[in-house]
């Protein structure tokens, strides 16, 4: 495993009662990049994502993080290692304020996540970092709002903020733009670009214009296998990719 590769799948295969959902996937995610996993419906994207984040156990193959085999490691343990799936362990409580949500998430590494009986003053040390995270995701003006009151796109930003509170080295995003209108998509894309400055991001995403703008590398899946990989300009011209998405018949 070379130094630039932070997350790797080797021969990753998942079978469900004889159906092969993912077959012999070899994937390398380079440190400090945004890597997108795309493909038509039924391509196996979600299965690969769930395998990498340990929500599914592979039938065969291995997963390495920073060169260490994590194939048998539990999701909570890999999160502590710095490999964190957004919305996986986010502390989003609808009836707490936006600031309080982020502050609760910041308590996790301290082992005091659920010490709600602690005095307000004991949490002041987390206040500055919580405000900094809200600035990072564009929620400063919403700090005092209840999480339940946030528009959909802002709720997703809050979920990302609570994930960032865990200071992940690799952030895995599962369809971050799902269900969003154009304005929220643009805002969330800018947010992803900002938070990628000092970390690695792997995302599953359907919105190809977002993928084109954000990604350094794109892996295209079809029927559980890797069809193509490379920068968007290269992948988008691949005849097999064109056929998979548009049925052009040129492959």
């Amino acid at each position: 495993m070379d130094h630039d590769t932070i997350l790797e799948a080797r021969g990753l295969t998942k079978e469900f009662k004889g159906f092969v959902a993912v077959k012999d996937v070899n994937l390398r995610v380079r440190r400090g990049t945004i890597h997108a996993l795309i493909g038509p419906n039924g391509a196996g994207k979600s299965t690969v994502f769930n395998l990498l984040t340990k929500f599914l156990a592979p039938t065969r193959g291995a997963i390495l993080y920073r060169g260490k085999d994590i194939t048998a490691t539990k999701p909570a343990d890999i999160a502590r290692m710095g490999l964190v799936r957004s919305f996986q362990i986010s502390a989003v409580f609808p009836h707490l304020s936006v600031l309080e949500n982020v502050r609760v998430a910041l308590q996790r590494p301290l082992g005091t996540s659920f010490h709600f009986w602690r005095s307000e003053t004991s949490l002041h040390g987390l206040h500055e970092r919580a405000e900094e995270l809200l600035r990072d995701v564009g929620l400063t003006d919403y700090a005092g709002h209840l999480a339940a009151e946030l528009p959909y796109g802002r709720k997703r930003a809050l979920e990302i903020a609570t994930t960032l509170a865990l200071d992940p080295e690799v952030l895995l995003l599962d369809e971050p733009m799902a269900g969003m209108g154009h304005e929220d998509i643009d805002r969330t894309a800018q947010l992803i670009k900002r938070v990628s400055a000092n970390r690695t991001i792997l995302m599953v995403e359907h919105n190809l214009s977002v993928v084109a703008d954000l990604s350094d590398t794109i892996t295209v899946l079809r029927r559980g296998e890797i069809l193509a990989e490379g920068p968007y300009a290269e992948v988008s011209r691949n005849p097999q990719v064109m056929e998979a998405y548009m049925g052009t018949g040129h492959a």
Side-chain angles (χ1 to χ4, degrees), residues 7 16 18 25 42 45 56 71 82-83 95 104 117 129 132 138-140 169 178 187 193 199 224 240 243-244:
L7 180 64
F16 295 99
V25 164
K45 303 182 300 295
L56 283 175
T71 312
L83 183 68
H95 301 299
V104 167
W117 58 86
R129 177 58 181 150
E132 184 181 328
L139 288 178
T140 298
E169 185 176 17
R187 186 184 295 117
K193 192 68 175 176
R199 54 181 56 87
Q240 290 181 301
E243 183 194 27

PDB file of all heavy atoms in Angstrom, residues 7 16 18 25 42 45 56 71 82-83 95 104 117 129 132 138-140 169 178 187 193 199 224 240 243-244:
ATOM      1  N   LEU A   7      -7.293   4.802   2.079  1.00  0.00           N
ATOM      2  CA  LEU A   7      -8.339   3.782   2.214  1.00  0.00           C
ATOM      3  C   LEU A   7      -8.299   2.888   0.984  1.00  0.00           C
ATOM      4  O   LEU A   7      -8.243   3.390  -0.145  1.00  0.00           O
ATOM      5  CB  LEU A   7      -9.710   4.446   2.345  1.00  0.00           C
ATOM      6  CG  LEU A   7     -10.928   3.526   2.492  1.00  0.00           C
ATOM      7  CD1 LEU A   7     -10.852   2.718   3.784  1.00  0.00           C
ATOM      8  CD2 LEU A   7     -12.221   4.352   2.467  1.00  0.00           C
ATOM      9  N   PHE A  16     -25.408 -12.069  -1.614  1.00  0.00           N
ATOM     10  CA  PHE A  16     -26.632 -12.218  -0.825  1.00  0.00           C
ATOM     11  C   PHE A  16     -27.388 -13.439  -1.338  1.00  0.00           C
ATOM     12  O   PHE A  16     -28.013 -13.375  -2.397  1.00  0.00           O
ATOM     13  CB  PHE A  16     -27.520 -10.975  -0.941  1.00  0.00           C
ATOM     14  CG  PHE A  16     -26.925  -9.730  -0.366  1.00  0.00           C
ATOM     15  CD1 PHE A  16     -26.312  -8.793  -1.198  1.00  0.00           C
ATOM     16  CD2 PHE A  16     -26.985  -9.467   0.997  1.00  0.00           C
ATOM     17  CE1 PHE A  16     -25.772  -7.628  -0.683  1.00  0.00           C
ATOM     18  CE2 PHE A  16     -26.439  -8.305   1.524  1.00  0.00           C
ATOM     19  CZ  PHE A  16     -25.831  -7.386   0.687  1.00  0.00           C
ATOM     20  N   GLY A  18     -26.594 -16.102  -2.904  1.00  0.00           N
ATOM     21  CA  GLY A  18     -26.300 -16.485  -4.281  1.00  0.00           C
ATOM     22  C   GLY A  18     -26.242 -15.334  -5.267  1.00  0.00           C
ATOM     23  O   GLY A  18     -25.683 -15.473  -6.345  1.00  0.00           O
ATOM     24  N   VAL A  25     -14.088  -5.863  -6.223  1.00  0.00           N
ATOM     25  CA  VAL A  25     -13.827  -4.420  -6.348  1.00  0.00           C
ATOM     26  C   VAL A  25     -12.484  -4.083  -5.706  1.00  0.00           C
ATOM     27  O   VAL A  25     -12.231  -4.389  -4.539  1.00  0.00           O
ATOM     28  CB  VAL A  25     -14.955  -3.600  -5.699  1.00  0.00           C
ATOM     29  CG1 VAL A  25     -14.517  -2.146  -5.476  1.00  0.00           C
ATOM     30  CG2 VAL A  25     -16.199  -3.643  -6.572  1.00  0.00           C
ATOM     31  N   GLY A  42     -28.806   0.325  -9.048  1.00  0.00           N
ATOM     32  CA  GLY A  42     -28.493  -1.101  -8.977  1.00  0.00           C
ATOM     33  C   GLY A  42     -27.045  -1.441  -9.265  1.00  0.00           C
ATOM     34  O   GLY A  42     -26.696  -2.610  -9.406  1.00  0.00           O
ATOM     35  N   LYS A  45     -23.364   0.722  -5.610  1.00  0.00           N
ATOM     36  CA  LYS A  45     -22.708   1.830  -4.892  1.00  0.00           C
ATOM     37  C   LYS A  45     -22.948   1.760  -3.386  1.00  0.00           C
ATOM     38  O   LYS A  45     -22.017   1.848  -2.592  1.00  0.00           O
ATOM     39  CB  LYS A  45     -23.217   3.182  -5.414  1.00  0.00           C
ATOM     40  CG  LYS A  45     -23.037   3.410  -6.890  1.00  0.00           C
ATOM     41  CD  LYS A  45     -23.522   4.785  -7.295  1.00  0.00           C
ATOM     42  CE  LYS A  45     -24.989   5.043  -7.010  1.00  0.00           C
ATOM     43  NZ  LYS A  45     -25.902   4.175  -7.792  1.00  0.00           N
ATOM     44  N   LEU A  56     -21.824  -3.558   6.515  1.00  0.00           N
ATOM     45  CA  LEU A  56     -21.974  -4.902   5.958  1.00  0.00           C
ATOM     46  C   LEU A  56     -20.621  -5.607   6.051  1.00  0.00           C
ATOM     47  O   LEU A  56     -19.572  -4.965   5.925  1.00  0.00           O
ATOM     48  CB  LEU A  56     -22.400  -4.850   4.484  1.00  0.00           C
ATOM     49  CG  LEU A  56     -23.847  -4.525   4.138  1.00  0.00           C
ATOM     50  CD1 LEU A  56     -23.991  -4.402   2.620  1.00  0.00           C
ATOM     51  CD2 LEU A  56     -24.807  -5.579   4.684  1.00  0.00           C
ATOM     52  N   THR A  71     -10.860  -5.092   8.076  1.00  0.00           N
ATOM     53  CA  THR A  71     -11.977  -5.876   7.550  1.00  0.00           C
ATOM     54  C   THR A  71     -12.899  -6.372   8.656  1.00  0.00           C
ATOM     55  O   THR A  71     -14.120  -6.414   8.493  1.00  0.00           O
ATOM     56  CB  THR A  71     -11.458  -7.077   6.731  1.00  0.00           C
ATOM     57  OG1 THR A  71     -10.459  -6.625   5.810  1.00  0.00           O
ATOM     58  CG2 THR A  71     -12.586  -7.730   5.953  1.00  0.00           C
ATOM     59  N   GLY A  82     -10.671   7.557  13.003  1.00  0.00           N
ATOM     60  CA  GLY A  82     -10.699   8.714  12.111  1.00  0.00           C
ATOM     61  C   GLY A  82     -11.412   8.505  10.804  1.00  0.00           C
ATOM     62  O   GLY A  82     -11.411   9.375   9.936  1.00  0.00           O
ATOM     63  N   LEU A  83     -12.037   7.324  10.636  1.00  0.00           N
ATOM     64  CA  LEU A  83     -12.787   7.011   9.414  1.00  0.00           C
ATOM     65  C   LEU A  83     -14.274   7.102   9.770  1.00  0.00           C
ATOM     66  O   LEU A  83     -14.823   6.194  10.387  1.00  0.00           O
ATOM     67  CB  LEU A  83     -12.424   5.607   8.937  1.00  0.00           C
ATOM     68  CG  LEU A  83     -13.033   5.097   7.631  1.00  0.00           C
ATOM     69  CD1 LEU A  83     -12.490   5.864   6.438  1.00  0.00           C
ATOM     70  CD2 LEU A  83     -12.747   3.613   7.460  1.00  0.00           C
ATOM     71  N   HIS A  95     -34.815  18.832  19.548  1.00  0.00           N
ATOM     72  CA  HIS A  95     -35.302  19.835  20.492  1.00  0.00           C
ATOM     73  C   HIS A  95     -34.191  20.510  21.283  1.00  0.00           C
ATOM     74  O   HIS A  95     -34.447  21.186  22.269  1.00  0.00           O
ATOM     75  CB  HIS A  95     -36.346  19.212  21.426  1.00  0.00           C
ATOM     76  CG  HIS A  95     -37.514  18.655  20.672  1.00  0.00           C
ATOM     77  ND1 HIS A  95     -38.325  19.446  19.885  1.00  0.00           N
ATOM     78  CD2 HIS A  95     -37.967  17.387  20.519  1.00  0.00           C
ATOM     79  CE1 HIS A  95     -39.246  18.698  19.318  1.00  0.00           C
ATOM     80  NE2 HIS A  95     -39.048  17.437  19.672  1.00  0.00           N
ATOM     81  N   VAL A 104     -22.789  18.965  22.114  1.00  0.00           N
ATOM     82  CA  VAL A 104     -22.950  17.575  22.562  1.00  0.00           C
ATOM     83  C   VAL A 104     -22.026  16.651  21.762  1.00  0.00           C
ATOM     84  O   VAL A 104     -21.383  15.756  22.313  1.00  0.00           O
ATOM     85  CB  VAL A 104     -24.425  17.120  22.434  1.00  0.00           C
ATOM     86  CG1 VAL A 104     -24.535  15.608  22.592  1.00  0.00           C
ATOM     87  CG2 VAL A 104     -25.293  17.817  23.467  1.00  0.00           C
ATOM     88  N   TRP A 117     -26.616  16.608  33.025  1.00  0.00           N
ATOM     89  CA  TRP A 117     -26.817  17.248  34.318  1.00  0.00           C
ATOM     90  C   TRP A 117     -25.661  18.183  34.683  1.00  0.00           C
ATOM     91  O   TRP A 117     -25.731  18.887  35.672  1.00  0.00           O
ATOM     92  CB  TRP A 117     -26.959  16.166  35.401  1.00  0.00           C
ATOM     93  CG  TRP A 117     -25.777  15.258  35.493  1.00  0.00           C
ATOM     94  CD1 TRP A 117     -24.635  15.453  36.209  1.00  0.00           C
ATOM     95  CD2 TRP A 117     -25.609  14.016  34.812  1.00  0.00           C
ATOM     96  NE1 TRP A 117     -23.760  14.407  36.026  1.00  0.00           N
ATOM     97  CE2 TRP A 117     -24.331  13.500  35.173  1.00  0.00           C
ATOM     98  CE3 TRP A 117     -26.409  13.273  33.925  1.00  0.00           C
ATOM     99  CZ2 TRP A 117     -23.837  12.298  34.689  1.00  0.00           C
ATOM    100  CZ3 TRP A 117     -25.906  12.077  33.457  1.00  0.00           C
ATOM    101  CH2 TRP A 117     -24.645  11.596  33.823  1.00  0.00           C
ATOM    102  N   ARG A 129     -15.093  26.147  20.122  1.00  0.00           N
ATOM    103  CA  ARG A 129     -14.942  25.171  19.038  1.00  0.00           C
ATOM    104  C   ARG A 129     -16.284  24.922  18.345  1.00  0.00           C
ATOM    105  O   ARG A 129     -16.342  24.789  17.113  1.00  0.00           O
ATOM    106  CB  ARG A 129     -14.369  23.859  19.591  1.00  0.00           C
ATOM    107  CG  ARG A 129     -14.229  22.743  18.563  1.00  0.00           C
ATOM    108  CD  ARG A 129     -13.348  23.111  17.389  1.00  0.00           C
ATOM    109  NE  ARG A 129     -13.243  22.034  16.421  1.00  0.00           N
ATOM    110  CZ  ARG A 129     -13.059  22.219  15.121  1.00  0.00           C
ATOM    111  NH1 ARG A 129     -12.958  23.448  14.623  1.00  0.00           N
ATOM    112  NH2 ARG A 129     -12.983  21.187  14.310  1.00  0.00           N
ATOM    113  N   GLU A 132     -16.944  27.726  16.055  1.00  0.00           N
ATOM    114  CA  GLU A 132     -16.050  27.613  14.894  1.00  0.00           C
ATOM    115  C   GLU A 132     -16.614  26.620  13.878  1.00  0.00           C
ATOM    116  O   GLU A 132     -16.603  26.877  12.659  1.00  0.00           O
ATOM    117  CB  GLU A 132     -14.674  27.154  15.380  1.00  0.00           C
ATOM    118  CG  GLU A 132     -13.616  27.077  14.297  1.00  0.00           C
ATOM    119  CD  GLU A 132     -12.278  26.580  14.841  1.00  0.00           C
ATOM    120  OE1 GLU A 132     -11.968  26.863  16.014  1.00  0.00           O
ATOM    121  OE2 GLU A 132     -11.566  25.889  14.095  1.00  0.00           O
ATOM    122  N   GLY A 138     -21.593  27.273   7.808  1.00  0.00           N
ATOM    123  CA  GLY A 138     -22.505  28.357   7.465  1.00  0.00           C
ATOM    124  C   GLY A 138     -23.755  28.429   8.312  1.00  0.00           C
ATOM    125  O   GLY A 138     -24.816  28.870   7.839  1.00  0.00           O
ATOM    126  N   LEU A 139     -23.659  28.011   9.574  1.00  0.00           N
ATOM    127  CA  LEU A 139     -24.845  27.994  10.435  1.00  0.00           C
ATOM    128  C   LEU A 139     -24.769  28.979  11.607  1.00  0.00           C
ATOM    129  O   LEU A 139     -25.566  28.892  12.538  1.00  0.00           O
ATOM    130  CB  LEU A 139     -25.079  26.576  10.993  1.00  0.00           C
ATOM    131  CG  LEU A 139     -25.586  25.526  10.009  1.00  0.00           C
ATOM    132  CD1 LEU A 139     -25.709  24.173  10.707  1.00  0.00           C
ATOM    133  CD2 LEU A 139     -26.943  25.929   9.415  1.00  0.00           C
ATOM    134  N   THR A 140     -23.845  29.911  11.550  1.00  0.00           N
ATOM    135  CA  THR A 140     -23.686  30.863  12.653  1.00  0.00           C
ATOM    136  C   THR A 140     -24.997  31.570  12.979  1.00  0.00           C
ATOM    137  O   THR A 140     -25.369  31.717  14.155  1.00  0.00           O
ATOM    138  CB  THR A 140     -22.603  31.904  12.310  1.00  0.00           C
ATOM    139  OG1 THR A 140     -21.355  31.228  12.128  1.00  0.00           O
ATOM    140  CG2 THR A 140     -22.451  32.924  13.426  1.00  0.00           C
ATOM    141  N   GLU A 169     -10.441  12.023   9.846  1.00  0.00           N
ATOM    142  CA  GLU A 169      -9.397  12.128   8.830  1.00  0.00           C
ATOM    143  C   GLU A 169      -9.983  11.810   7.459  1.00  0.00           C
ATOM    144  O   GLU A 169      -9.606  12.397   6.454  1.00  0.00           O
ATOM    145  CB  GLU A 169      -8.263  11.160   9.156  1.00  0.00           C
ATOM    146  CG  GLU A 169      -7.076  11.270   8.225  1.00  0.00           C
ATOM    147  CD  GLU A 169      -5.927  10.370   8.630  1.00  0.00           C
ATOM    148  OE1 GLU A 169      -6.140   9.434   9.417  1.00  0.00           O
ATOM    149  OE2 GLU A 169      -4.804  10.597   8.147  1.00  0.00           O
ATOM    150  N   ALA A 178     -29.041  14.347  -1.669  1.00  0.00           N
ATOM    151  CA  ALA A 178     -30.359  13.713  -1.855  1.00  0.00           C
ATOM    152  C   ALA A 178     -31.479  14.589  -1.297  1.00  0.00           C
ATOM    153  O   ALA A 178     -31.412  15.066  -0.172  1.00  0.00           O
ATOM    154  CB  ALA A 178     -30.373  12.353  -1.173  1.00  0.00           C
ATOM    155  N   ARG A 187     -25.039  25.214  -1.986  1.00  0.00           N
ATOM    156  CA  ARG A 187     -24.495  25.533  -0.665  1.00  0.00           C
ATOM    157  C   ARG A 187     -23.761  24.320  -0.080  1.00  0.00           C
ATOM    158  O   ARG A 187     -22.673  24.452   0.477  1.00  0.00           O
ATOM    159  CB  ARG A 187     -25.629  25.972   0.269  1.00  0.00           C
ATOM    160  CG  ARG A 187     -25.149  26.474   1.622  1.00  0.00           C
ATOM    161  CD  ARG A 187     -26.321  26.804   2.531  1.00  0.00           C
ATOM    162  NE  ARG A 187     -27.100  27.905   2.027  1.00  0.00           N
ATOM    163  CZ  ARG A 187     -28.382  27.827   1.649  1.00  0.00           C
ATOM    164  NH1 ARG A 187     -29.015  26.670   1.712  1.00  0.00           N
ATOM    165  NH2 ARG A 187     -29.025  28.884   1.206  1.00  0.00           N
ATOM    166  N   LYS A 193     -16.535  21.251  -0.307  1.00  0.00           N
ATOM    167  CA  LYS A 193     -15.244  21.738  -0.796  1.00  0.00           C
ATOM    168  C   LYS A 193     -14.444  22.367   0.343  1.00  0.00           C
ATOM    169  O   LYS A 193     -13.228  22.116   0.473  1.00  0.00           O
ATOM    170  CB  LYS A 193     -15.464  22.764  -1.917  1.00  0.00           C
ATOM    171  CG  LYS A 193     -14.205  23.115  -2.697  1.00  0.00           C
ATOM    172  CD  LYS A 193     -13.737  21.926  -3.513  1.00  0.00           C
ATOM    173  CE  LYS A 193     -12.553  22.282  -4.400  1.00  0.00           C
ATOM    174  NZ  LYS A 193     -12.040  21.121  -5.128  1.00  0.00           N
ATOM    175  N   ARG A 199      -8.736  17.119   4.833  1.00  0.00           N
ATOM    176  CA  ARG A 199      -9.139  15.719   5.042  1.00  0.00           C
ATOM    177  C   ARG A 199      -9.478  15.071   3.703  1.00  0.00           C
ATOM    178  O   ARG A 199      -9.514  15.742   2.669  1.00  0.00           O
ATOM    179  CB  ARG A 199     -10.330  15.625   6.002  1.00  0.00           C
ATOM    180  CG  ARG A 199     -11.530  16.453   5.618  1.00  0.00           C
ATOM    181  CD  ARG A 199     -12.653  16.314   6.644  1.00  0.00           C
ATOM    182  NE  ARG A 199     -12.257  16.640   7.995  1.00  0.00           N
ATOM    183  CZ  ARG A 199     -12.280  17.869   8.498  1.00  0.00           C
ATOM    184  NH1 ARG A 199     -12.668  18.879   7.746  1.00  0.00           N
ATOM    185  NH2 ARG A 199     -11.914  18.099   9.730  1.00  0.00           N
ATOM    186  N   GLY A 224     -22.162  -4.145  -9.905  1.00  0.00           N
ATOM    187  CA  GLY A 224     -21.283  -4.570  -8.824  1.00  0.00           C
ATOM    188  C   GLY A 224     -19.807  -4.613  -9.140  1.00  0.00           C
ATOM    189  O   GLY A 224     -19.004  -5.026  -8.306  1.00  0.00           O
ATOM    190  N   GLN A 240     -18.335   3.086 -22.516  1.00  0.00           N
ATOM    191  CA  GLN A 240     -19.046   2.153 -21.644  1.00  0.00           C
ATOM    192  C   GLN A 240     -19.819   2.893 -20.557  1.00  0.00           C
ATOM    193  O   GLN A 240     -20.927   2.494 -20.187  1.00  0.00           O
ATOM    194  CB  GLN A 240     -18.063   1.169 -21.008  1.00  0.00           C
ATOM    195  CG  GLN A 240     -17.478   0.172 -21.990  1.00  0.00           C
ATOM    196  CD  GLN A 240     -16.537  -0.789 -21.299  1.00  0.00           C
ATOM    197  OE1 GLN A 240     -15.533  -0.390 -20.693  1.00  0.00           O
ATOM    198  NE2 GLN A 240     -16.857  -2.069 -21.364  1.00  0.00           N
ATOM    199  N   GLU A 243     -22.863   4.412 -22.176  1.00  0.00           N
ATOM    200  CA  GLU A 243     -23.896   3.397 -22.388  1.00  0.00           C
ATOM    201  C   GLU A 243     -24.601   3.060 -21.068  1.00  0.00           C
ATOM    202  O   GLU A 243     -25.829   2.921 -21.020  1.00  0.00           O
ATOM    203  CB  GLU A 243     -23.292   2.131 -22.975  1.00  0.00           C
ATOM    204  CG  GLU A 243     -24.360   1.073 -23.269  1.00  0.00           C
ATOM    205  CD  GLU A 243     -23.775  -0.302 -23.529  1.00  0.00           C
ATOM    206  OE1 GLU A 243     -22.694  -0.593 -23.034  1.00  0.00           O
ATOM    207  OE2 GLU A 243     -24.444  -1.084 -24.224  1.00  0.00           O
ATOM    208  N   ALA A 244     -23.822   2.939 -20.003  1.00  0.00           N
ATOM    209  CA  ALA A 244     -24.393   2.579 -18.702  1.00  0.00           C
ATOM    210  C   ALA A 244     -25.397   3.610 -18.221  1.00  0.00           C
ATOM    211  O   ALA A 244     -26.422   3.285 -17.630  1.00  0.00           O
ATOM    212  CB  ALA A 244     -23.278   2.393 -17.676  1.00  0.00           C
TER     213      ALA A 244
END
